[in-house]
Amino acid sequence: MASTIGTHEMDASIQCPACRASGVFHTWDIIDAGDASLKDRVLFDENLFFYTCPHCQSKIHIESKCLYIDRDKKLLIWHIPDPKETVTLGEVQGALGTTSLAAYTCRAALTWGEWREKIIECESAYDDRLYEIIKYGAYQLLSKEDKERLPLEAYHIDYADDGHDPERLALVFMKKDEKGMAYVYPITEKLKEVTRDIFMPIIDQLSREKQAPFERFGYAWASQFMTYLIKAAEADANRDTYGNLIGFWIKTIGEEIFQTVVKPQA
C-alpha cells in the first residue's frame, strides 16, 4: 500500500501569452485541509492561482489539476480543467494510501471558482447537490433583464457573511461589469428543509445507479436533474402531486430568498 501524503507542491512550465517568454509557476497538485493556512488561502486568496510574468508583468490565471483532501470530513474534491480527463485509482492511492473511495465524498470541478465553491458546499453538513438545486431554482426566477445584469457565469454559492460559517451559505449574484458588486441572499433553514424533503429521496434513488467516482455536481447537473424530474413527473400517474410539490418548492424559494410571492402558472 502506498504511503499517505499531504499537501504537495509542484512547478509548471509557463509561456506567457502576452510576451511569449518562458517562466515557471509554483503551485500545488495536492492541498490537504490539515494545512489550515493554505486552506484559508484556497478559500480567500483571489491571487492564489495567478502567475505574474517576470518579463512583462502580465497576470495570468492558471488552471491546473489539483486535489483537495479533507481527511476529517472525508472529502476528495478534484480540480480537473479538462472535462475529458478521468481520475485513476493510482492517483487516489498515491494521495490517500488506499484505492477505496467508499468512505469519501468525491467531487470534480472544471475551474478554480467552481472548485472553491464545491469545497465550501461540501464542508457544510448539507448535501452539496441540494445546494446546486437551490442555486438552479433561484436563477430561474430571475427576469430576462436581471439575467443579463447578473450573468450565470459569475453566479455562485459562498459564505453568507464574514463569519464564514459553513452552515450559513448564500446565493451571490455578481453584477455584470461592476467588479466586486453583488446581491447576496442567505439560504434559509426552511428552504434547505423543503428542498431536502422533496428532492433527497430522488437523489438517493438515482445514486444507487452506477456513477463515476468523481462526478461534477454543478449548475449544469442541477438543470439536467430538474429536466429529468419534470419529464418523469409528466409520465407518472401521480404527476399532479409532483407538480404541486415543485410548485410549493418554487414558491418557497421566492419567499425565502427574494421575499416575494411567486404565483403558480396556470
Side-chain angles (χ1 to χ4, degrees):
M1 180 178 292
S3 60
T4 302
I5 61 175
T7 294
H8 185 261
E9 301 177 31
M10 61 170 285
D11 289 328
S13 297
I14 301 293
Q15 184 178 57
C16 177
C19 70
R20 314 305 296 174
S22 297
V24 176
F25 179 57
H26 187 75
T27 186
W28 299 265
D29 54 1
I30 298 176
I31 291 179
D32 194 311
D35 185 337
S37 61
L38 184 55
K39 177 182 176 179
D40 282 347
R41 292 189 67 193
V42 168
L43 295 176
F44 306 115
D45 185 353
E46 295 181 355
N47 296 312
L48 186 60
F49 299 109
F50 278 86
Y51 166 77
T52 301
C53 177
H55 304 278
C56 70
Q57 305 306 310
S58 294
K59 195 174 181 181
I60 306 159
H61 195 192
I62 304 296
E63 298 279 358
S64 59
K65 192 172 178 180
C66 185
L67 174 65
Y68 176 86
I69 303 173
D70 188 324
R71 302 178 197 277
D72 292 334
K73 294 191 175 181
K74 301 299 182 186
L75 301 177
L76 292 173
I77 305 175
W78 222 304
H79 172 237
I80 308 175
D82 183 353
K84 297 180 180 179
E85 184 171 356
T86 58
V87 175
T88 67
L89 287 180
E91 290 177 288
V92 176
Q93 185 177 29
L96 297 178
T98 177
T99 57
S100 174
L101 302 178
Y104 281 81
T105 296
C106 303
R107 299 290 187 261
L110 284 172
T111 68
W112 289 124
E114 292 173 4
W115 185 65
R116 175 186 180 272
E117 180 181 40
K118 190 54 59 178
I119 291 170
I120 290 172
E121 290 177 351
C122 287
E123 291 283 355
S124 165
Y126 193 68
D127 195 286
D128 66 296
R129 295 166 294 184
L130 296 175
Y131 276 127
E132 294 294 343
I133 290 171
I134 291 172
K135 180 181 173 184
Y136 170 81
Y139 199 74
Q140 299 314 300
L141 292 183
L142 297 185
S143 66
K144 181 180 178 181
E145 293 75 16
D146 281 341
K147 287 179 179 178
E148 291 175 354
R149 291 192 308 114
L150 309 169
L152 178 59
E153 57 270 21
Y155 170 51
H156 62 283
I157 288 176
D158 210 327
Y159 296 110
D161 52 46
D162 292 339
H164 303 141
D165 184 345
E167 306 308 325
R168 296 192 68 249
L169 302 185
L171 301 173
V172 180
F173 298 82
M174 302 296 295
K175 294 183 179 181
K176 184 178 180 180
D177 301 328
E178 293 185 51
K179 184 175 177 58
M181 300 298 294
Y183 297 105
V184 179
Y185 295 94
I187 300 172
T188 67
E189 290 301 315
K190 179 179 178 180
L191 177 56
K192 289 163 65 174
E193 180 181 353
V194 170
T195 304
R196 180 176 54 242
D197 290 347
I198 293 175
F199 298 109
M200 201 66 223
I202 303 168
I203 291 175
D204 285 340
Q205 181 179 352
L206 293 176
S207 296
R208 289 192 286 270
E209 301 174 4
K210 185 177 180 181
Q211 293 182 336
F214 285 84
E215 290 283 338
R216 291 183 170 94
F217 291 107
Y219 187 92
W221 169 83
S223 176
Q224 293 172 357
F225 174 83
M226 291 303 298
T227 299
Y228 161 83
L229 184 61
I230 291 170
K231 288 183 178 179
E234 289 174 347
D236 194 278
N238 297 317
R239 57 183 174 273
D240 288 342
T241 300
Y242 281 112
N244 290 337
L245 283 173
I246 293 174
F248 174 70
W249 174 67
I250 292 172
K251 181 174 180 290
T252 303
I253 292 176
E255 292 173 345
E256 295 295 305
I257 297 295
F258 301 117
Q259 287 79 52
T260 188
V261 175
V262 178
K263 296 180 180 179
Q265 294 183 348

